[in-house]
Structures are given as structure tokens and as C-alpha cells.
Amino acid sequence: MKELSMKKKRVILVIYLLLVIGVLVGLIMSLPEEPKEVVIKGNNDEVIEMDSAIDTPETVAGKFFSVIYEYDTSERMFYEGAETYMTKEAYEQLVPMPSEEVMDDGYFHMQSSLENYLIYKREISETEVELVAEIHFSVSGSGDYTQRQLVKLCMQLENKQWIITECSVLDTEGD
């Protein structure tokens, strides 16, 4: 009888150890992973190594929208700061030509606030994307109103960063 109870104790001990090991393995497997590097083949099979911490095109677009739709003209114009996310050519297309109205001291004060946006993405290649965003924002200055704009952004991967190469307003509707 004593032998049988020793065998039962050993079986129970083995089962217990297996359960503890299973729980520990489960805990280890659920730990967050370290950022991994992603390799993308660009034109001419050139290999581009990317850190997983690089902003996605959608993240870059969101930061860009925050700059151009969140402003107060007493502090800065809507386009100031957008150059961070754009090529020089794209930025020059965004910035309005100076006019007498802008240059005049009597230029009116405007504020804009980004309410929300929805992005649709189309991958053209591993290093090029096209985004169309539906953006809702409010503007005050010459009256308070809400606007809805459809904006198209073309982006490409340059020096491990997504950068806007083209920005076009496709449609604008106001309340």
C-alpha cells in the first residue's frame, strides 16, 4: 500500500510540475515582442531595412492633418510645420501665393479645429502609397462652420520615412 501511495504522490508531483511549466511558458509567450526589423524590396530589388518603430503612412498623414487643420492664425498659418511631412515640391504646392489680403495688417483672424478623419489606403508598390482621407473640421473667424474635405495624398518611402509627394483637395463641403 505504501508503494502505491508513493507512486500516486510522484504522479501528482509530475502533473503539478507540468502545470507550472505550462503556466510559465504561457506567461513568457504573452510578453510583448521586441521591435523587429522589416525588409522591403524597393525598385531594382534594392533592399530597404526598416525599423518597426517607423511611422506608417496613416500615422504620418494623421500628424500632417493635425498641422494643417489645427491652427490659430494669430499664432501661425495653417501650412507652417507641414514641410516636415512633405517634399519641397509638395510643400510649395500647398503654400498659397502671398496676396495683398494676407500681407495687409487687417487680415482677419481664423481658427481651425480637426474633428475627425477617415483614411483609405491603396498600396501602389512597397515604397509608394496613395491615401484618400475624408476630413471633418470646424473653422471660425468669418463665422463658425463645419467643413468636410476629401484630400488625396501620394506618399513614398524615402530614407526610412514616409513623405508626402502630392497633396490635392478633391472636394469640399460646408455646413
Side-chain angles (χ1 to χ4, degrees):
M1 278 310 250
K2 288 185 180 181
E3 257 185 65
L4 188 58
S5 72
M6 280 302 271
K7 284 183 180 180
K8 283 183 178 179
K9 286 181 183 179
R10 285 185 187 154
V11 168
I12 291 171
L13 181 62
V14 168
I15 292 172
Y16 177 75
L17 287 174
L18 288 174
L19 286 172
V20 169
I21 291 171
V23 168
L24 289 175
V25 168
L27 287 173
I28 291 170
M29 298 298 286
S30 68
L31 292 175
E33 291 185 27
E34 291 292 319
K36 296 179 184 175
E37 287 193 353
V38 178
V39 177
I40 294 177
K41 287 189 176 181
N43 296 338
N44 304 324
D45 290 329
E46 168 190 355
V47 174
I48 302 166
E49 290 185 15
M50 293 176 38
D51 186 329
S52 63
I54 291 175
D55 286 340
T56 65
E58 296 89 344
T59 302
V60 171
K63 291 177 180 180
F64 173 72
F65 296 148
S66 291
V67 168
I68 63 171
Y69 292 103
E70 289 279 339
Y71 64 88
D72 182 332
T73 57
S74 67
E75 298 171 10
R76 69 172 182 84
M77 295 304 290
F78 76 91
Y79 51 83
E80 292 175 6
E83 69 276 3
T84 304
Y85 307 102
M86 307 178 85
T87 62
K88 182 180 178 192
E89 297 79 16
Y91 181 72
E92 287 174 355
Q93 290 176 346
L94 176 71
V95 177
M97 294 293 292
S99 67
E100 290 178 27
E101 187 177 288
V102 172
M103 302 305 284
D104 186 9
D105 287 345
Y107 185 65
F108 62 92
H109 177 243
M110 288 186 67
Q111 291 179 307
S112 177
S113 179
L114 179 63
E115 292 179 5
N116 59 54
Y117 58 87
L118 179 61
I119 296 175
Y120 301 92
K121 179 173 89 172
R122 181 176 79 114
E123 292 183 13
I124 297 169
S125 72
E126 289 88 3
T127 58
E128 292 180 282
V129 296
E130 185 178 86
L131 304 176
V132 173
E134 179 180 6
I135 302 164
H136 295 267
F137 64 103
S138 59
V139 179
S140 63
S142 60
D144 293 339
Y145 54 96
T146 303
Q147 293 275 310
R148 175 189 161 270
Q149 275 190 338
L150 292 179
V151 175
K152 175 184 164 188
L153 299 178
C154 295
M155 301 176 81
Q156 68 183 50
L157 189 61
E158 291 182 5
N159 300 321
K160 299 182 180 181
Q161 290 183 341
W162 287 101
I163 190 158
I164 299 166
T165 57
E166 180 186 330
C167 176
S168 312
V169 175
L170 303 176
D171 186 42
T172 301
E173 293 178 0
D175 290 347

